Amino acid sequence: MTRPNLDPPAPPALDPEHFRRLAHEAVDLVADYLASIRTRPVFRPMAPEARAALVQEPLGGAGAGPEAILERFRTAILPHAMGNGHPRFFGWVNSPPAPIGIVADFLAAALNPSCAGGDHAAIYVERAAVRWLMELIGFPTEGSMGLLASGGSAATLIALAAARHRAAREDGWDVRREGLQRSRPPLVLYVSSEGHSCIQKAAELLGLGAELLRTVAVDGDRRMDPRALRAAVVADRAAGLRPFCVAASAGTVSTGTIDPLDELADLGAAERLWLHVDGAYGAVGAAVPSHRARYAGLARADSVALDPHKWLLVPVECGAVLVRDGRLLRETFSLVPAYLRTEPDRGVGGLPWYSEYGIQQTRGFRALKLWMTLQHLGRDGVRDTVARHLALAAHLGQLVDTAPDLERLAAVELSIVCFRYVPGHLRGDESALDALNKRLMEEVQASGRAFLTQATLGGRFALRACVLHYATTEADLAALVDVVRETGARLAGS
């Protein structure tokens, strides 16, 4: 009988010098890419054959050499980046990666810990980094708990699960043990018409059902109307339902609108509603003194979702959920019997495991890139970065307002500007303007000169520009306006 070869195979192992050379080549490739990014198109659409080559590529039987794989990345992937690394990318809410965050991802991968819990540095780094987030936005740290997640959707799911758990406990039953299949007053969740789709997704996943996700009217500034919310709550109680949570926004993705959080906190306290704040994009605006008053009430929220991989420039994925009642969050998810649970200052490392506070057991070392990015920025750097983007967005709004063929469609509250191209001969023809601006957006994206996306505001198609790049300048904004006007004039005259 032939004895099998038990020596380690060549892949995946690399000897230290080979790894060093490969890593240096990768660093040079990334450094050159970042240094030359302004000379590249913002976005380059992929040819059908390039897409097919990636999608249909077979996995070879023999492993490829690391240098060949790196070269394949350089030629097939790097030229077709999403575009958010370019200072003239204004699409969605996708920031460029902070350079130190790129380094942090490399270092975190080298350690590759599971951050479910335990007594190792990654756990304490996450505790510190999440506390810094709380302090930056003015969320209370005493008694609260926060943890990192993949993004706002996962953070929202965790927060609303805690809200559901509290509602059931207040009403004298255990949703974890009994589920939602018994005959009880159905739970009702409220969100504004401007709320993010992740709220509905979480409601569906939690068994609440989209039918009992109430859409609350907004006022003329697209903020949730507390009077409309109160009326909906009263009507639902009268119908035998159980209102339990309102999901507000601290920076909607369409326009950057901040709901009246203080009024909603008052209403929540009076009506036994958990106040969840979707601050995935906009919550860090609270770090800017001139804007802090707009976030009044954020500190009173029961939970907040925010994404450091948006305005804080941390490489994706890095979301966070903050919950005021840390003990309740643990009760929502922990499978450890109460008599075995680690309490603060006891047990290994003196900290409960993160896996008791959320939906993941195995968790990556997301905290390192957040920890390193925040340390590099400091409090002043966070404040100045956000304030600069606010000022740039205000400037873009002014450029739009002074252009005779552009029309701004929403107030500029944070770093989002919504507008459209309106040639004189199409004024008043909403259908034609929608079609024109949709074509305009697509052509600007394909041109590689700038990149912006869309929003639907009052049934109208809007061009939407979100300023999030740390290197964007007023000249980049002027270039965006120029390409929009030039493209619009060409399309309108064709």
Side-chain angles (χ1 to χ4, degrees), residues 97-446:
I100 197 168
I102 299 172
V103 175
D105 249 348
F106 173 80
L107 298 175
L111 296 180
N112 199 35
S114 174
C115 296
D119 186 21
H120 53 104
I123 303 305
Y124 309 115
V125 167
E126 184 163 348
R127 284 276 180 159
V130 170
R131 175 173 52 80
W132 293 345
L133 290 178
M134 293 178 179
E135 292 168 350
L136 283 169
I137 69 169
F139 193 79
T141 58
E142 186 66 30
S144 61
M145 180 61 183
L147 67 157
L148 300 182
S150 60
S153 294
T156 297
L157 181 65
I158 293 168
L160 296 187
R164 184 187 65 172
H165 184 83
R166 189 185 76 172
R169 189 183 68 179
E170 288 178 346
D171 292 352
W173 58 287
D174 185 346
V175 68
R176 295 188 61 180
R177 182 170 57 83
E178 301 176 36
L180 296 176
Q181 302 191 75
R182 298 194 183 185
S183 179
R184 299 187 185 279
L187 298 169
V188 185
L189 171 63
Y190 302 87
V191 64
S192 89
S193 55
E194 298 291 312
H196 195 275
S197 60
C198 71
I199 306 295
Q200 177 174 337
K201 187 173 291 186
E204 293 174 359
L205 289 172
L206 290 169
L208 305 174
E211 286 187 357
L212 291 180
L213 177 64
R214 295 286 188 258
T215 301
V216 180
V218 295
D219 62 20
D221 294 319
R222 296 186 172 83
R223 295 176 173 85
M224 184 184 290
D225 184 345
R227 293 172 300 179
L229 173 61
R230 186 183 299 276
V233 169
V234 169
D236 284 333
R237 286 199 195 283
L241 305 177
R242 169 59 159 100
F244 84 105
C245 178
V246 55
S249 295
T252 59
V253 293
S254 293
T255 62
T257 297
I258 301 169
D259 285 331
L261 303 178
D262 219 21
E263 291 182 68
L264 295 175
D266 288 340
L267 198 154
E271 297 288 349
R272 290 195 306 151
L273 296 177
W274 178 287
L275 175 58
H276 173 70
V277 175
D278 176 7
Y281 154 55
V284 294
V288 179
S290 63
H291 274 59
R292 196 162 293 145
R294 301 188 187 189
Y295 293 86
L298 180 62
R300 301 170 62 194
D302 293 291
S303 59
V304 177
L306 70 156
D307 282 346
H309 64 218
K310 290 186 169 71
W311 220 339
L312 289 175
L313 311 171
V314 175
V316 295
E317 300 168 342
C318 188
V321 56
L322 313 178
V323 176
R324 172 187 295 276
D325 187 342
R327 185 176 295 274
L328 180 127
L329 182 63
R330 192 180 191 184
E331 290 175 2
T332 304
F333 291 102
S334 180
L335 293 173
V336 179
Y339 66 91
L340 290 177
R341 291 177 186 169
T342 301
E343 297 303 327
D345 301 321
R346 298 180 185 177
V348 177
L351 291 176
W353 280 43
Y354 275 111
S355 55
E356 292 187 64
Y357 291 89
I359 56 180
Q360 286 184 269
Q361 179 68 27
T362 301
R363 304 174 67 248
F365 194 5
R366 296 186 180 102
L368 187 62
K369 55 192 172 185
L370 173 60
W371 185 77
M372 290 178 68
T373 301
L374 287 180
Q375 284 202 87
H376 191 211
L377 287 168
R379 281 181 170 272
D380 293 348
V382 171
R383 177 200 66 208
D384 293 346
T385 298
V386 175
R388 183 171 173 274
H389 288 153
L390 294 172
L392 285 170
H395 178 69
L396 177 57
Q398 292 168 0
L399 293 178
V400 168
D401 290 343
T402 57
D405 48 3
L406 298 179
E407 178 186 12
R408 186 162 50 83
L409 295 178
V412 181
E413 186 152 14
L414 294 178
S415 70
I416 295 174
V417 183
C418 292
F419 62 104
R420 64 180 177 176
Y421 179 75
V422 184
H425 69 282
L426 290 182
R427 289 189 182 276
D429 189 341
E430 296 298 326
S431 178
L433 287 173
D434 286 347
L436 171 62
N437 278 274
K438 183 175 185 296
R439 287 182 59 203
L440 190 161
M441 178 196 71
E442 294 167 349
E443 296 223 5
V444 169
Q445 290 177 347

